[in-house]
Amino acid sequence: GVGIKTFLFTNKASDYRPAIIAKINQQVKRYMPAIVINGVDFADVRQSPNTISMRISYAIPDMGIKDLLELTI
C-alpha cells in the first residue's frame, strides 16, 4: 500500500500532496505496471482537517479502460 494513513495527522501547513502522488505512482509502477495514472486531485482539507479526500483517474490501456477512484480517509 501507499500508506495514506501516515499522512492524516501531518502538519497541513506543509504540502503533503506531492509525496502522496509520488508514492502512488511508485507503487503502481512497481505492482501494477499495466495501469497508467492520469491524475490525482485532492479535495479542500479545510472542511475536514483530519481526513484526506482524493480522486485518482487511471487507465488500463491494454483493456481500453478509463476510470476514476474516489477515496476519503
Side-chain angles (χ1 to χ4, degrees):
V2 174
I4 296 293
K5 290 181 182 181
T6 61
F7 293 95
L8 280 177
F9 299 102
T10 59
N11 183 354
K12 299 303 187 228
S14 64
D15 193 5
Y16 56 88
R17 294 173 291 185
I20 292 174
I21 293 169
K23 194 73 166 165
I24 290 170
N25 285 320
Q26 176 189 33
Q27 294 292 316
V28 168
K29 183 177 179 180
R30 182 173 184 179
Y31 295 108
M32 298 177 283
I35 295 176
V36 176
I37 301 296
N38 295 322
V40 179
D41 299 311
F42 293 86
D44 187 4
V45 296
R46 290 176 287 182
Q47 295 174 354
S48 186
N50 293 327
T51 63
I52 297 175
S53 295
M54 69 178 80
R55 301 172 81 184
I56 303 171
S57 76
Y58 67 93
I60 307 173
D62 293 343
M63 299 177 74
I65 296 173
K66 292 182 181 180
D67 207 349
L68 179 71
L69 175 64
E70 295 182 277
L71 301 167
T72 299
I73 299 169

